[in-house]
């Protein structure tokens, strides 16, 4: 069976450790922006004077450490999420590429989106816990930590509460993929040269633009997801959500009714400020050839000894 060639200078454990440390550092540095994004999406009282006022209010009432609420959960979620996404992405790329070992940008984006959906569904309870830890008051907490939050949500609200908001999270992958595809099919026109001639700086800029467009298009689903995650009758003020609703569709309706259409994009600015381009899911020619051989060995029927 063919295998992907790896850099032999580092072990798999070292690669995983480096990726985990880099991801945790990135999440920790941008944690205040993520917190402001979530608070704006949920619509807590901190955001009545804008995002800058929200940061000042939070620091004044709960201390500077409050800017990193939920960051530990996000860091712990990173490794299983990334591992699941990478494994699913490689498998889907194998299924989507043609017999010559080629895969289009559209299929690569679809493979990445489907892989992200798989990883999202499996690790979704940790995302709910992160949101609950962010919206609670650090000085008068409803949850004492990650495990206590998991235990309390499960026993008070049931298993379904740990997956509340998963529907808009999955549906948001559709405009995200469409936005990414729109940018990528326009790159040669924007730069006025073939995609294969792009420099690393151009590829980085392309990733940032594609991620920004995709994030903007899918942000209303992200906003509804956060509101659904935060709302709970077991939390003070129902989790601080600015509208009350009975489900995903009603959440969209109540948000537009009370906050206007732009209310679905509350928190977009800090979200874009912390945005980084997604992982490049294109493969080198040698990797594509080996994945092609792997695909043939997995899906083509083996010849029997009599046929030989």
């Amino acid at each position: 069976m063919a295998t992907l060639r790896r850099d032999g200078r580092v072990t798999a454990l070292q690669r995983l450790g480096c990726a985990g440390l880099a991801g945790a550092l990135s999440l920790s540095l941008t944690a205040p922006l993520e917190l402001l994004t979530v608070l704006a999406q949920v619509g807590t009282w901190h955001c009545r004077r804008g995002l800058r006022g929200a940061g000042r209010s939070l620091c004044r009432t709960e201390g500077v450490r409050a800017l990193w609420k939920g960051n530990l959960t996000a860091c712990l979620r990173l490794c299983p999420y990334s591992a699941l996404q990478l494994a699913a992405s490689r498998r889907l790329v194998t299924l989507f590429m043609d017999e010559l070992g080629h895969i289009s940008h559209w299929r690569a984006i679809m493979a990445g989106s489907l892989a992200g959906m798989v990883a999202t569904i499996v690790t979704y309870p940790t995302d709910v816990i992160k949101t609950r830890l962010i919206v609670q008051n650090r000085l008068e907490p409803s949850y004492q930590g990650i495990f206590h939050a998991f235990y309390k949500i499960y026993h008070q609200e049931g298993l379904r509460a740990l997956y509340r908001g998963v529907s808009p999270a999955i549906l948001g992958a559709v405009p995200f993929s469409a936005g990414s595809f729109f940018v990528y099919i326009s790159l040669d026109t924007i730069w006025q040269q073939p995609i294969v001639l792009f420099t690393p700086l151009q590829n980085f800029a392309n990733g940032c633009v594609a991620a920004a467009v995709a994030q903007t298009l899918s942000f209303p689903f992200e906003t509804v997801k956060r509101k659904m995650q935060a709302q709970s009758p077991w939390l003070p003020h129902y989790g601080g959500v600015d509208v009350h609703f009975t489900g995903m569709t009603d959440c969209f309706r109540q948000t537009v009714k009370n906050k206007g259409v732009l209310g679905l994009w509350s928190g977009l600015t800090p979200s874009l400020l912390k945005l980084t381009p997604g992982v490049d899911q294109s493969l080198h020619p040698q990797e594509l050839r080996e994945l092609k051989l792997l695909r043939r060995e997995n899906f083509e029927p083996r010849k029997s000894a009599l046929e030989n």
Side-chain angles (χ1 to χ4, degrees), residues 1-4 90-103 283-300:
M1 180 179 292
T3 57
L4 292 177
R90 289 303 177 96
R91 181 64 175 174
L92 290 167
V93 165
T94 305
L95 293 174
F96 286 171
M97 68 183 180
D98 58 27
E99 292 299 327
L100 297 177
H102 299 147
I103 184 169
L283 300 177
H284 297 293
Q286 178 60 31
E287 290 181 311
L288 284 170
R289 284 193 293 269
E290 291 179 343
L291 275 174
K292 175 185 170 185
L293 293 174
L294 180 61
R295 179 187 181 188
R296 285 181 176 176
E297 290 193 11
N298 285 338
F299 293 100
E300 290 186 358

Side-chain angles (χ1 to χ4, degrees), residues 32 99 174 188 234 242:
E99 292 299 327
V174 177
D188 52 352
W234 297 91
D242 54 358

Side-chain angles (χ1 to χ4, degrees), residues 56-239:
R56 285 199 298 263
S57 298
L58 191 67
C59 290
R60 184 170 58 252
T61 57
E62 301 182 40
V64 177
R65 290 180 58 187
L67 294 175
W68 279 265
K69 289 191 296 184
N71 183 57
L72 179 59
T73 309
C75 291
L76 293 176
R77 178 176 182 258
L78 180 64
C79 282
Y81 181 92
S82 300
L84 286 167
Q85 185 181 36
L86 180 60
S89 178
R90 289 303 177 96
R91 181 64 175 174
L92 290 167
V93 165
T94 305
L95 293 174
F96 286 171
M97 68 183 180
D98 58 27
E99 292 299 327
L100 297 177
H102 299 147
I103 184 169
S104 64
H105 279 297
W106 172 242
R107 289 189 174 188
I109 292 170
M110 283 298 298
S113 299
L114 291 174
M117 289 169 60
V118 171
T120 296
I121 292 172
V122 175
T123 62
Y124 193 79
T126 59
D127 197 33
V128 174
I129 291 172
K130 185 188 80 169
T131 300
R132 293 290 184 92
L133 293 177
I134 286 176
V135 299
Q136 73 172 359
N137 189 325
R138 191 176 69 88
L139 302 180
E140 299 176 357
S142 300
Y143 310 111
Q144 300 298 326
I146 299 172
F147 295 105
H148 182 250
F150 182 89
Y151 175 85
K152 199 169 181 180
I153 294 172
Y154 177 77
H155 283 273
Q156 286 183 339
E157 305 175 51
L159 181 62
R160 293 182 61 183
L162 292 169
Y163 283 90
R164 189 175 297 153
V166 71
S167 296
I170 295 174
L171 292 175
V174 177
F176 192 93
S177 300
S180 299
F181 181 62
F182 173 78
V183 172
Y184 276 112
I185 62 176
S186 306
L187 290 178
D188 52 352
T189 304
I190 295 172
W191 293 105
Q192 297 182 350
Q193 65 178 344
I195 294 177
V196 294
L197 300 179
F198 288 168
T199 65
L201 181 59
Q202 286 175 311
N203 285 324
F204 177 79
N206 296 339
C208 289
V209 172
V213 172
Q215 179 81 333
T216 302
L217 292 176
S218 63
F219 202 77
F221 294 92
E222 184 75 11
T223 298
V224 171
K225 181 191 78 171
R226 293 299 180 192
K227 291 182 186 296
M228 294 181 70
Q229 288 177 337
Q231 181 176 266
S232 172
W234 297 91
L235 295 177
H237 310 291
Y238 271 71

